[in-house]
Amino acid sequence: MASEADLKAFIGRHRELLSKERNAEIERSALLLTNCGPKLLEQKGLALGSLGVVGINIGLGGKTLVELERPTAFHTSQSFPPHNFRPGDLARIEDNASSNTAAKKTAKSKKTASAIAESSHATEGVVYKVSDTRIVIAVDPSDSGSDDLDLPERCRVLKMANSVTYDRMDKALDQLEKISIPSSRQSNDKCDYELTPLIRVLLGISPPSEKIPITELKFFDESLNPSQQKAVKFALESQEVACIHGPPGTGKTHTLIEIIRQLTSPSEHSINEKQKRILVCGASNLSVDNILERLLAIPPPEKGKRTPLSATRIGHPARVMANQGVLEATLEVKANKSDQAALAKDVKSEIESTLDLLAGKGKGSKKPRGSERKKMWEEVKALRKEYRQREGGVVKTVLGESQVVLATCHSAGSRQLRDHRFDVVIIDEATQALEAVCWIPIFKARKVILAGDPMQLPPTILSIDKQKKKTSGIATSKKSANTADDQKTSQESTASKPQLPEEDEGTSHSDADSEVESIKGDDIMAQDATIEVSQGESRPKTKTQRKTQKKAKKRAGLRPPRTLETTLFDRLERMYGPDIKRLLNIQYRMHSQICQFPSQTLYASKLVSHESVRSHLLKDLPAVSAFASSEDEDTIKETLGTPVVFYDTAGCEYFERLDGDNDEGSRCNENEAAVVSKWVERLVGAGLLPSQIALITPYQAQVTLLASLLRPVYGLELEIGTVDGMQGREKDAVIISLVRSNDKREVGFLKEKRRMNVAMTRARRHLVDMPMFILMVFTNQDLQCIVGDSSTVKHGSPYLKRWLAWLEANADVRFAEFDSV
Ligand SMILES: Nc1ncnc2c1ncn2[C@@H]1O[C@H](COP(=O)(O)OP(=O)(O)OP(=O)(O)O)[C@@H](O)[C@H]1O
């Protein structure tokens, strides 16, 4: 059981790590803004230049929504180049011209970033929506301290460090401390939450309660496979916490939808005596929208039987442009449609027309100046206040009527949900979320269901470099595993000795090298085997099983995290063992050959392919097979009849190059890009649509290069992205460009420039880990084509070596030297 000292050490270490991460983000942003000129920032996807304001509207919370586009006067194409702006990001709108000159001046005078911001009259806000051609920034006048929004004609938008998420996570840790350590409370401290059984279990104060057995469970979705059914039952029977481990394409979302239906349906075949109120969260907007989309697709119940599920989406809906259903379910649209909204609407249009006048869009198109302008801003301020009050009532009604509320973990901490409580919180992609961000929704519920895959991308940690330096001390002297800071924490607590920070037991993904990852896979699966053993008949048979059981006996209690990459999912598994989770083991996406290597190395061969996908190939796609029937049979066989192709460029001297003049750039490889282009041409020539193909590469510079070569021919339908950006996407054919090829046989990111590279590529890990993630991110493939230099890549790590050996043995290997594609 966790002692007060353990709790103190755990929360203290979290605070410390979060503060480092916050600083790393601020540092990265400041470094980029001061070191890179506007052009370079645009190339890195951190700025969008020469934009014009096309509209100013009022959004939820009285925020001003500034819509920006690329005017034809300054650009040949209205589509944005590849960029890293996502809804929820903090952004600055500034004068395009002045930021150019300011940047030049900075180079000479070493002016700071904030000085540029001040001198160029910038406005800060949050990215509200992004489409291919338009970006909308929500500006909250109360944040800026000034109401006047005097936007320049030609703007630039810059991505900034975002502190709101950190503020919310810090607040969550403060709450956690107050709830769990009574002595930390000041006499006048207000505690918003109580120490529920759920919080006790998550902190290791008490073990999970016995499951409440459900004898007859009738599933809504009769197609669920046995592992999915077990996971649903397990989630419903668990009283405080349940984890669902879903490798790629195993129907994690499918399973979550069934759980939501079971929890929200008080029907004759459901386990509920009463309907439950659910909060569904995800680490990203994409995961939340994905669940919402599936919920909206559930056929309405027969008339009179039940009321249809009422679901409301909070926050910045990432896909609102693309999906009308998702748009209709957003709080904003629902609130606008409600009867009470009419009154608020009048106030809103009054604000909008005043803002138009202030922007010079009124009669005579002249911006008001001086006292007249000041007076108009006063009016806007008063109207905004009134609007917020009216709107507050509308929001309360809409949310009060919603059985399922969906939000990212971060936006579960927004003002609109402040007083709302739920029976269950479901967190999807929990293995990609920081533990602290998960606590934001957890406080609002009595039970949590976590879904994710610890073998896929962990949360992005910028401060990992510094931590690694420190923790290398831990690795070399495990007996005295405390870092200086940890020692400080332990010295402070005299009551009882807290647990030491987690050691690398081969179960942390952070710096485990690829071999360890594979061991981890085996380990986790061995643990699964142990569940079967403990639930069933016999004693552990294999050595690994016995070892795992022994490990389980001396299982750790609450330990301070070693890095922020340890997620709540990881921690619970470590604290309570495999009993805390259920594995989904049938995948519905990949050809069995594509699934083979990840299954063997990461899931101890437990991941099996469903018969519907086991042997599907590109040539079986209806459009392709119709087209292909007129083609030469050998070409068809060659291009469409092979699941894995490895195009080896060894010996061709297709060397990589650094993007940019100095050493700070990302990497690209022109020859590889040419090979990729030819493959795309070949696939499209064989009847595949560009929308059925994805190009993946670890480097942003290669993304930019490929986009410049292929977008003009195939348009935006052809997906091109970095590994991080493509996780969870489905494509029929995936081409992977590995980029690295050099005499020195180096594959890792440039170490001394790591921070810059992390910033520029948004890569989560070393390249040595990349192939594993590459294998994990592509899904639903009938064809996988890898283009790379085996002589360089195989020197990256034992795992890479193993992968290349597997490719050589199993893929259709072609040599660039002899094959002209
Ligand atoms: N029991 C099932 N029967 C038939 N098809 C299924 C079943 N479960 C899942 N699928 C299909 O498998 C595919 C993957 O399902 P889903 O998107 O739910 O998986 P996921 O694990 O959430 O995916 P990701 O890898 O993106 O996390 C979908 O096309 C889905 O329709």
Side-chain angles (χ1 to χ4, degrees):
M1 196 183 115
S3 66
E4 191 172 310
D6 292 331
L7 291 166
K8 271 189 185 161
F10 175 79
I11 296 169
R13 174 76 177 152
H14 252 291
R15 273 213 189 95
E16 180 199 326
L17 290 172
L18 274 181
S19 143
K20 279 183 190 159
E21 187 63 11
R22 185 198 282 257
N23 289 340
E25 184 145 352
I26 293 169
E27 205 179 312
R28 177 190 68 136
S29 166
L31 260 175
L32 281 167
L33 292 180
T34 45
N35 287 358
C36 303
K39 274 269 157 304
L40 193 58
L41 283 174
E42 274 178 51
Q43 276 168 18
K44 306 302 165 202
L46 298 168
L48 290 168
S50 293
L51 304 182
V53 177
V54 285
I56 296 183
N57 298 303
I58 292 300
L60 208 63
K63 291 194 175 71
T64 309
L65 303 180
V66 182
E67 299 189 23
L68 300 127
E69 273 185 3
R70 300 179 104 201
T72 40
F74 307 134
H75 302 278
T76 44
S77 160
Q78 281 208 288
S79 296
F80 292 135
H83 61 79
N84 292 324
F85 287 89
R86 301 285 171 267
D89 286 344
L90 205 64
R92 191 167 80 204
I93 312 172
E94 59 181 30
D95 190 324
N96 199 79
S98 74
S99 71
N100 272 327
T101 34
K104 275 180 201 151
K105 276 184 197 158
T106 312
K108 284 187 189 156
S109 67
K110 301 265 181 268
K111 229 180 185 183
T112 63
S114 58
I116 300 176
E118 275 163 32
S119 66
S120 59
H121 193 71
T123 303
E124 288 192 3
V126 172
V127 178
Y128 182 74
K129 283 180 197 169
V130 205
S131 72
D132 293 334
T133 55
R134 186 171 287 200
I135 184 162
V136 184
I137 312 286
V139 178
D140 192 341
S142 54
D143 290 344
S144 65
S146 153
D147 284 303
D148 199 338
L149 189 68
D150 194 6
L151 293 166
E153 228 165 84
R154 194 169 164 189
C155 312
R156 172 186 316 282
V157 177
L158 287 173
K159 194 169 158 166
M160 311 289 292
N162 192 348
S163 63
V164 185
T165 313
Y166 290 103
D167 293 344
R168 285 189 184 159
M169 288 194 282
D170 282 344
K171 209 171 147 204
L173 290 179
D174 289 347
Q175 288 291 339
L176 200 60
E177 188 173 43
K178 281 183 207 158
I179 297 166
S180 62
I181 312 171
S183 62
S184 69
R185 270 181 243 163
Q186 309 284 332
S187 55
N188 55 348
D189 258 355
K190 207 175 109 252
C191 222
D192 295 343
Y193 308 103
E194 55 185 298
L195 186 61
T196 56
L198 167 63
I199 298 177
R200 295 176 71 90
V201 171
L202 298 184
L203 290 178
I205 301 172
S206 342
S209 309
E210 285 291 308
K211 290 199 276 296
I212 300 176
I214 303 167
T215 41
E216 270 180 54
L217 177 61
K218 194 157 177 238
F219 295 100
F220 288 93
D221 182 348
E222 287 170 358
S223 74
L224 292 176
N225 68 44
S227 70
Q228 292 170 332
Q229 289 183 356
K230 273 188 202 159
V232 172
K233 194 160 178 277
F234 171 66
L236 300 174
E237 288 179 336
S238 301
Q239 293 206 53
E240 294 94 8
V241 58
C243 300
I244 297 174
H245 181 175
T250 50
K252 196 165 40 70
T253 316
H254 224 66
T255 310
L256 291 182
I257 296 296
E258 176 72 24
I259 294 171
I260 297 170
R261 293 179 81 179
Q262 291 285 347
L263 289 170
T264 51
S265 315
S267 71
E268 66 284 358
H269 66 270
S270 152
I271 43 117
N272 274 322
E273 64 299 339
K274 79 173 184 66
Q275 286 183 323
K276 296 217 170 5
R277 221 174 154 230
I278 318 286
L279 175 61
V280 178
C281 293
S284 68
N285 278 298
L286 205 66
S287 68
V288 179
D289 286 339
N290 186 19
I291 296 182
L292 178 55
E293 236 174 62
R294 307 258 192 120
L295 281 178
L296 296 172
I298 298 173
E302 281 170 48
K303 254 196 178 160
K305 275 214 159 176
R306 266 178 292 126
T307 44
L309 194 70
S310 147
T312 302
R313 168 76 157 96
I314 293 214
H316 300 287
R319 286 204 230 152
V320 283
M321 297 289 203
N323 185 319
Q324 191 61 22
V326 170
L327 173 67
E328 294 285 316
T330 56
L331 178 59
E332 177 146 0
V333 172
K334 282 190 165 186
N336 269 332
K337 280 189 175 169
S338 79
D339 298 338
Q340 287 167 280
L343 280 173
K345 258 186 200 155
D346 294 343
V347 185
K348 185 177 158 179
S349 21
E350 215 176 320
I351 305 175
E352 279 171 0
S353 47
T354 319
L355 284 176
D356 275 349
L357 289 174
L358 280 160
K361 291 189 181 164
K363 276 181 229 151
S365 307
K366 255 194 142 186
K367 282 186 186 182
R369 300 268 162 222
S371 61
E372 192 193 353
R373 186 172 184 85
K374 204 170 166 214
K375 201 171 148 222
M376 285 171 83
W377 275 115
E378 291 292 318
E379 265 171 49
V380 171
K381 199 173 171 181
L383 284 167
R384 259 200 186 109
K385 197 171 164 197
E386 190 183 341
Y387 178 67
R388 272 194 205 119
Q389 276 166 359
R390 293 189 181 189
E391 186 203 64
V394 183
V395 166
K396 209 169 160 189
T397 313
V398 172
L399 287 179
E401 289 166 356
S402 304
Q403 232 183 319
V404 181
V405 175
L406 301 100
T408 55
C409 290
H410 155 76
S411 46
S414 66
R415 198 170 27 91
Q416 292 129 348
L417 278 182
R418 190 180 292 155
D419 301 320
H420 288 262
R421 296 292 178 270
F422 299 85
D423 297 291
V424 182
V425 60
I426 295 176
I427 304 183
D428 189 18
E429 286 185 350
T431 46
Q432 286 175 56
L434 296 179
E435 165 152 2
V437 87
C438 292
W439 278 102
I440 298 170
I442 286 174
F443 284 129
K444 297 180 179 295
R446 310 197 81 79
K447 168 170 168 176
V448 65
I449 298 168
L450 302 175
D453 179 8
M455 306 312 292
Q456 292 190 59
L457 292 173
T460 308
I461 310 296
L462 295 178
S463 55
I464 203 92
D465 261 356
K466 285 184 186 168
Q467 280 175 36
K468 270 194 173 173
K469 274 181 204 153
K470 283 199 167 184
T471 50
S472 58
I474 296 176
T476 49
S477 60
K478 280 192 176 178
K479 290 238 166 63
S480 57
N482 297 25
T483 60
D485 296 325
D486 302 323
Q487 278 164 2
K488 195 171 150 237
T489 319
S490 59
Q491 278 160 14
E492 277 163 9
S493 58
T494 48
S496 73
K497 208 168 175 282
Q499 296 268 11
L500 299 178
E502 301 156 321
E503 290 172 29
D504 192 348
E505 293 167 344
T507 48
S508 158
H509 349 236
S510 58
D511 53 0
D513 86 352
S514 313
E515 281 304 316
V516 177
E517 289 288 3
S518 130
I519 294 164
K520 177 181 173 178
D522 294 348
D523 202 31
I524 286 176
M525 297 309 140
Q527 290 188 356
D528 283 331
T530 323
I531 309 180
E532 282 153 29
V533 171
S534 64
Q535 284 165 351
E537 334 75 60
S538 60
R539 293 162 65 79
K541 291 184 193 92
T542 65
K543 211 170 145 193
T544 334
Q545 284 174 0
R546 277 198 297 276
K547 234 167 79 187
T548 313
Q549 266 206 345
K550 224 171 158 188
K551 229 179 187 179
K553 275 194 191 145
K554 56 164 196 179
R555 195 144 277 134
L558 183 73
R559 285 185 180 193
R562 196 167 54 82
T563 82
L564 285 180
E565 281 192 349
T566 306
T567 62
L568 177 60
F569 194 115
D570 292 328
R571 195 170 65 70
L572 290 172
E573 202 179 336
R574 207 171 283 173
M575 210 157 69
Y576 294 117
D579 257 342
I580 205 75
K581 71 166 193 181
R582 290 296 179 269
L583 173 81
L584 309 178
N585 71 339
I586 300 176
Q587 69 86 13
Y588 293 83
R589 281 183 181 158
M590 293 168 265
H591 184 284
S592 59
Q593 202 182 355
I594 298 175
C595 172
Q596 192 185 13
F597 185 73
S599 177
Q600 278 173 359
T601 53
L602 303 173
Y603 303 100
S605 303
K606 290 230 163 193
L607 186 59
V608 294
S609 307
H610 188 258
E611 58 188 359
S612 58
V613 296
R614 198 174 291 155
S615 52
H616 67 180
L617 289 166
L618 278 187
K619 67 181 172 60
D620 305 325
L621 285 171
V624 174
S625 50
F627 179 93
S629 58
S630 59
E631 285 276 309
D632 152 28
E633 213 175 287
D634 283 347
T635 315
I636 299 163
K637 209 173 153 205
E638 220 185 345
T639 314
L640 310 173
T642 320
V644 186
V645 176
F646 176 36
Y647 201 89
D648 193 351
T649 63
C652 295
E653 304 196 339
Y654 281 5
F655 291 137
E656 73 204 39
R657 95 172 155 75
L658 270 173
D659 183 41
D661 305 332
N662 44 26
D663 214 21
E664 70 186 8
S666 176
R667 279 156 198 275
C668 61
N669 189 321
E670 273 123 358
N671 287 312
E672 250 186 57
V675 175
V676 171
S677 307
K678 290 231 174 100
W679 266 99
V680 175
E681 197 181 305
R682 198 167 185 172
L683 291 172
V684 174
L688 219 68
L689 297 170
S691 59
Q692 291 174 304
I693 306 170
L695 313 183
I696 305 181
T697 174
Y699 291 93
Q700 184 60 44
Q702 187 76 346
V703 170
T704 311
L705 176 64
L706 288 168
S708 69
L709 289 174
L710 297 167
R711 282 269 152 77
V713 188
Y714 304 104
L716 292 166
E717 299 275 273
L718 178 73
E719 270 200 62
I720 309 173
T722 56
V723 181
D724 289 44
M726 301 292 265
Q727 170 143 313
R729 308 307 296 266
E730 294 190 25
K731 288 288 160 181
D732 292 305
V734 171
I735 305 175
I736 302 160
S737 170
L738 296 177
V739 176
R740 301 308 301 261
S741 174
N742 52 67
D743 282 335
K744 291 184 186 158
R745 296 177 166 173
E746 279 177 0
V747 301
F749 292 129
L750 278 181
K751 291 212 171 59
E752 63 282 13
K753 297 290 174 190
R754 194 177 148 86
R755 184 176 297 110
M756 292 300 272
N757 272 315
V758 168
M760 287 165 193
T761 62
R762 300 294 294 170
R764 287 172 200 258
R765 304 279 225 104
H766 287 265
L767 181 63
V768 290
D769 285 336
M770 281 303 177
M772 175 181 71
F773 294 129
I774 289 168
L775 289 172
M776 295 292 91
V777 293
F778 49 66
T779 49
N780 199 36
Q781 296 166 72
D782 296 339
L783 174 81
Q784 179 189 114
C785 171
I786 298 118
V787 184
D789 176 356
S790 64
S791 62
T792 298
V793 177
K794 73 176 165 203
H795 288 90
S797 74
Y799 187 86
L800 278 174
K801 197 172 168 188
R802 205 163 152 188
W803 185 42
L804 286 167
W806 183 89
L807 285 174
E808 272 158 28
N810 296 281
D812 169 5
V813 185
R814 293 154 191 236
F815 295 95
E817 253 185 314
F818 311 116
D819 188 327
S820 60
V821 189

